[in-house]
Amino acid sequence: MLNVLGGLVALEAAQADVLERICSGPTLRALALQAALPADATKAPTARRGRRSVAAQGNLLGSSDP
């Protein structure tokens, strides 16, 4: 864990530079992004119906009950 934290601290200057370049770079308008999406990409996902039976879950866990 300390190695990971030390690595992140060591990258702090490089990360700050990348963030600065991203923030000061060119941007796209929301309409341009929206126009690039397929028509169905903005629809809400449909709810999944039905659930697995409890017996099937028991079999997955190695239970011998039917």
Side-chain angles (χ1 to χ4, degrees), residues 37-60:
L37 291 175
D40 63 345
T42 58
K43 292 181 182 176
T46 57
R48 294 176 62 186
R49 298 197 183 252
R51 295 172 51 115
R52 291 185 180 188
S53 68
V54 174
Q57 290 176 359
N59 291 339
L60 290 174

Side-chain angles (χ1 to χ4, degrees), residues 10-65:
L11 291 173
E12 185 177 1
Q15 291 173 347
D17 178 54
V18 169
L19 179 61
E20 177 61 33
R21 289 187 298 158
I22 290 170
C23 291
S24 64
T27 58
L28 295 173
R29 296 186 147 274
L31 291 176
L33 293 174
Q34 198 171 27
L37 291 175
D40 63 345
T42 58
K43 292 181 182 176
T46 57
R48 294 176 62 186
R49 298 197 183 252
R51 295 172 51 115
R52 291 185 180 188
S53 68
V54 174
Q57 290 176 359
N59 291 339
L60 290 174
L61 298 174
S63 171
S64 61
D65 294 337

